[in-house]
Amino acid sequence: MSLLQLNEISVHDGATQLIAPVSLTLEPGVPLIILGETGSGKSLLAQAVMGTLPQGLTARGRITLGKDALDPAQPARFRALWGRRIAVLPQEPWLSLDPLMRAAPQIAETHHLVRGLTRSDAAAQAQKDLAALDLAAVGQRYPHELSGGMAQRVAIAAARAGGARIVIADEPTKGLDAARRDDVARLLLDALGRDGGLAVITHDLALAQMIGGQIIIMREGKVVEAGQTSAVFAAPTATYTRDLIAADPAHWPARSTLSMPVPGLAPAAPVVAAKGLSLSRGGQRLIEDLDIAVHPGRVLGITGPSGCGKSSLGDVLLGLLAPDAGAVTRAPGLPRTALQKLYQDPVAAFPPRRALGMTLADVAALHGARAQDIPAQMERLRLDPALLNRLPGAVSGGELQRLALLRVMLARPAFIFADEPTSRLDPITQREVITLLRKVATEDGVAVVLVSHDMALIDKTADRVVRLGLGGQEQAPVLQDAFAG
């Protein structure tokens, strides 16, 4: 018997159809990949299955969970199944974790309340879960004390703790480096076993290939291709699927020689420079004796595994965090607002209950920008002016990240620290955002530091590269000229 069947499931906003009818089957031991660009409807489909659609949206069709038939138009009936028979690993780990609870107790609570373990057994099992994810040392940390990769792994442990046979993982590897991504894939596949059900919503092509099984490709609320994952990647039939695969950073062309440093020509003075920089967090040495300089019109790439100190290094360069040793210098005469941060999570850049246009107008007024700068920048970033009337939650991730870049540009920056700005975006949208960020550097003379776990992306984008290792000892920080080969 199949674990889960969807028959003609569609999602509607009043009379507007957001997702065309989808039918699929989840078989025991055969994972299902739902792949597509930002805003394609992947997460809405999962929410329809779980009965957690946002207010105002409705689902139609028929869901069969084992022997039980469920009406997606009556989502209240689904609540009794959460955690016990079907669980979701949400795509924003910090939003799924209780900010007032430490990591281990959050996992133990699910073992106790959902699975019925005694409190002592639940606590012991939670510690085992963390150890299996290489997180034994973080059990007593709060979510805000965890890196993005750590928080995601804690969320995975919490989602699995209830013993649900079916797990829907919504973008489970966003923000993770390749090694951690592979660890998560193995963890999910191990949890699947022979009789479990796993549906993975992702835009990560490497993850999709590693998980395997069956795949559906979605675009604009419709399934454009379906089949065995390996077969679809080997010979995609839909034009969109071919475009999606081609947009992976591994397939990007090499950087233009026009951006190469000219031999014998001294570069402009750096906007931000650090010398002899050392940094520790939580008693762990992350960076040791690092010298770097970020020049106008150039992109400095920073890469390395989760928790190696990439974001902390950015906070030091921005003046938000003091280093243990070393000195940071910034170009004289720069106002503090000339140093800007583009966040990994664009949702964090906007008040959730204010129209985007109001927030951007406030930013423009604060920094003395002209009112006409907003539509001009929106045209440059290929953004529809109608988006200004929407709330942040009503636009796609790719649109919101471009709006976050617009917000930064209104401050007239001389330096931008872009912290994993595309880790939550599909390959096509990711390529667009990185191209725009590169243009900001070259056309506006802005010094850019670009952080990414994706080494292919960094190698194809940055002029110079800093590669960090964990603990500062396994791999010393390396500064290399990306054009040196």
Side-chain angles (χ1 to χ4, degrees):
M1 179 181 294
S2 60
L3 296 175
L4 178 69
Q5 283 187 318
L6 307 187
N7 298 102
E8 298 293 299
I9 297 298
S10 60
V11 176
H12 303 261
D13 182 1
T16 303
Q17 181 176 269
L18 302 179
I19 295 182
V22 175
S23 297
L24 57 85
T25 300
L26 185 63
E27 300 288 352
V30 182
L32 171 69
I33 302 293
I34 304 174
L35 185 72
E37 65 184 20
T38 305
S40 63
K42 306 184 301 294
S43 295
L44 278 181
L45 180 61
Q47 290 167 349
V49 173
M50 291 294 295
T52 57
L53 284 170
Q55 187 174 3
L57 303 188
T58 57
R60 301 173 189 170
R62 179 184 175 90
I63 298 174
T64 305
L65 185 63
K67 297 180 179 179
D68 298 324
L70 300 170
D71 182 357
Q74 298 179 325
R77 292 187 55 200
F78 292 44
R79 184 178 293 272
L81 307 174
W82 294 349
R84 294 175 173 85
R85 295 182 61 186
I86 186 168
V88 166
L89 174 63
Q91 61 178 279
E92 301 296 347
W94 282 295
L95 296 182
S96 67
L97 298 174
D98 187 334
L100 301 180
M101 288 185 69
R102 301 178 192 271
Q106 295 204 44
I107 301 168
E109 183 178 66
T110 305
H111 281 300
H112 174 60
L113 296 178
V114 179
R115 294 186 64 187
L117 299 184
T118 66
R119 290 191 181 277
S120 60
D121 287 346
Q125 185 59 52
Q127 199 57 42
K128 290 180 181 178
D129 293 345
L130 289 171
L133 293 169
D134 197 23
L135 294 174
V138 307
Q140 295 308 306
R141 293 188 192 178
Y142 290 100
H144 72 272
E145 297 176 313
L146 304 173
S147 71
M150 291 176 179
Q152 185 65 287
R153 282 177 280 158
V154 170
I156 288 174
R160 296 178 59 229
R165 192 175 174 190
I166 300 172
V167 173
I168 300 175
D170 192 355
E171 299 287 6
T173 58
K174 287 196 307 185
L176 299 185
D177 59 85
R180 295 301 185 195
R181 178 200 64 211
D182 295 350
D183 288 345
V184 168
R186 284 189 287 268
L187 174 71
L188 292 172
L189 288 171
D190 288 346
L192 173 68
R194 293 183 177 180
D195 61 353
L198 173 65
V200 178
I201 299 167
T202 187
H203 59 250
D204 188 327
L205 304 183
L207 176 69
Q209 290 176 285
M210 178 171 287
I211 294 292
Q214 298 291 311
I215 191 170
I216 63 172
I217 311 289
M218 295 189 68
R219 186 186 187 194
E220 297 178 349
K222 298 178 181 178
V223 175
V224 297
E225 188 160 359
Q228 189 175 27
T229 301
S230 58
V232 168
F233 273 90
T237 59
T239 300
Y240 172 71
T241 306
R242 293 194 292 269
D243 291 343
L244 197 64
I245 294 172
D248 187 274
H251 301 144
W252 292 1
R255 289 177 308 281
S256 169
T257 56
L258 295 176
S259 63
M260 286 187 179
V262 178
L265 181 63
V271 178
V272 178
K275 188 171 182 61
L277 200 67
S278 295
L279 178 66
S280 300
R281 295 296 296 270
Q284 181 182 24
R285 179 55 60 93
L286 299 175
I287 296 170
E288 183 75 48
D289 197 25
L290 176 65
D291 296 346
I292 59 172
V294 193
H295 296 271
R298 298 293 181 196
V299 177
L300 174 67
I302 300 178
T303 188
S306 299
C308 71
K310 300 184 297 295
S311 297
S312 296
L313 174 58
D315 287 343
V316 170
L317 297 178
L318 290 165
L320 302 175
L321 182 67
D324 297 342
V328 177
T329 58
R330 302 173 183 90
L334 282 182
R336 290 190 62 83
T337 55
L339 280 70
Q340 289 288 321
K341 185 172 184 177
L342 188 61
Y343 290 88
Q344 179 178 12
D345 182 5
V347 176
F350 297 96
R353 292 181 176 84
R354 295 192 80 219
L356 290 161
M358 295 176 63
T359 298
L360 293 173
D362 288 347
V363 173
L366 179 65
H367 295 286
R370 299 171 302 171
Q372 58 266 38
D373 287 346
I374 295 178
Q377 288 282 12
M378 290 195 72
E379 182 178 357
R380 180 186 184 189
L381 298 175
R382 295 187 299 105
L383 289 166
D384 186 344
L387 296 177
L388 296 177
N389 298 319
R390 299 185 188 177
L391 297 176
V395 302
S396 73
E399 290 168 334
L400 197 58
Q401 188 59 284
R402 280 180 282 163
L403 286 162
L405 180 56
L406 167 57
R407 177 181 178 274
V408 165
M409 294 306 298
L410 290 173
R412 300 175 179 176
F415 172 85
I416 296 175
F417 180 77
D419 191 3
E420 293 279 6
T422 62
S423 66
R424 285 161 163 71
L425 305 180
D426 63 89
I428 292 175
T429 309
Q430 172 180 254
R431 184 174 58 187
E432 293 176 349
V433 170
I434 291 297
T435 299
L436 290 168
L437 197 58
R438 179 85 214 187
K439 288 180 68 175
V440 164
T442 56
E443 295 179 2
D444 298 352
V446 177
V448 174
V449 172
L450 174 63
V451 171
S452 178
H453 290 112
D454 191 330
M455 291 188 182
L457 182 151
I458 289 293
D459 288 340
K460 296 290 180 67
T461 304
D463 299 305
R464 305 197 80 191
V465 180
V466 175
R467 303 187 191 277
L468 298 178
L470 282 171
Q473 300 301 323
E474 298 176 24
Q475 176 185 339
V478 176
L479 176 64
Q480 68 179 51
D481 194 322
F483 294 107

